[in-house]
Amino acid sequence: MAPATTWKEKIDTDEAQRFERHAQTLRELQRKNAAGRPASRALHAKGQCPVEATFTVLDNLPPHARAGLFAQPATYRAYVRYSNGSGKHQSDRAPDVRGIAIKVLGVPGKKIIPGMEDATTQDFLAIRSSSTPFRNADEFVGFVRAAASPALLLPRAFGLFGVGGTFKLLKKLTAGFGQPMPSLATTQYYSALPIAWGDYAVRYTLRPRASAAGAGGSGDAEYLTTELSARLAKEPVEYDFAVQFFESEDKTPIEDSSIDWSEADAPYVTVGRLTLPKQDTASDRGRRLAEFIEKLTFDPWHALTAHRPLGNMMCARNHAYRVSTQERGAAKEPDGSETF
């Protein structure tokens, strides 16, 4: 049976103005973290082992999975950036959100961002958690702002979430941050937020195919880069790209990003394969490639209209990424003709 098409977004009348204020809050933190130096990203500032890749759309997909980029089987070049979630460059040993960003190259079709409709890129962003501790953008930005002043975190959080809500939220955050992070190659990543899939709505995941043997690195400040670089010097790294389709608002909500989409309610369908080929990240070419990728902007709104981001948190990201990119300086979208 085809998935449900009854999903809906809830858009408040003051949403655009509120999200613009949230974006300016993140810009202020971005400037504070820069401390007079050139601005980095507002969040996910520290990248790890930027690499080249291929992204393959699989054959024989069910009809409802054949949308947008996935309408036809094909293999595309791609760039991949791993990252820590903090707006500061800190040790890989520090507890943090972990992310992956994929920029697929050579993708035809109209894109969403005004002025970039003819770009030939499609971005996919994911984190280590299958949902977020926050229901919506107001909660997320409120907490980020409170956490910017550790001494004031608890009183500010109490004002936002109440005492019980604050400790419930901190418990979720602690559980997420406390997960071991032995390797980028063996970690599963999730969109945690929905996107359109033609007439349908999905969340997606990247399931690692790499062996966990030898993962863990040395534990130094850059151990995640060190471990992945050593792995790629010997062998490729692969992930299955799979999607969950919207089932119903109570089981697979569009607007509440704190709720997991249960695999029992919304089974995964594998639709693609991300492959990081064997490569020497320490070579001159590898370093030039890494420098190029670090300058790029990865944005869920760099997308085909068939894969439009959905829901409150995604709409807020549209404002936040635009402002953050303006602050650090926008890089030209790549077209795949780059040489290193």
Side-chain angles (χ1 to χ4, degrees), residues 57-71:
V57 176
L58 302 181
D59 200 357
N60 299 319
L61 299 182
H64 56 269
R66 300 174 195 165
L69 176 65
F70 299 83

Side-chain angles (χ1 to χ4, degrees), residues 138-194:
D138 296 334
E139 289 188 355
F140 172 72
V141 175
F143 185 83
V144 169
R145 187 173 185 178
S149 301
L152 299 176
L153 172 58
L154 282 180
R156 287 180 174 178
F158 290 158
L160 288 168
F161 306 105
V163 175
T166 295
F167 285 111
K168 184 177 179 180
L169 175 62
L170 292 175
K171 183 178 179 180
K172 287 183 178 180
L173 287 168
T174 301
F177 286 176
Q179 293 180 30
M181 186 69 186
S183 170
L184 301 170
T186 61
T187 296
Q188 184 167 357
Y189 299 93
Y190 305 84
S191 65
L193 303 170

Side-chain angles (χ1 to χ4, degrees), residues 7 28 46 90 93 132 141-143 153 174 185 241 277-278 313 323 326:
W7 58 270
E28 291 170 9
K46 180 184 176 181
Q90 59 185 15
R93 297 191 303 271
T132 79
V141 175
F143 185 83
L153 172 58
T174 301
F241 187 95
K278 181 179 175 181
M313 288 277 274
V323 169
Q326 290 172 350

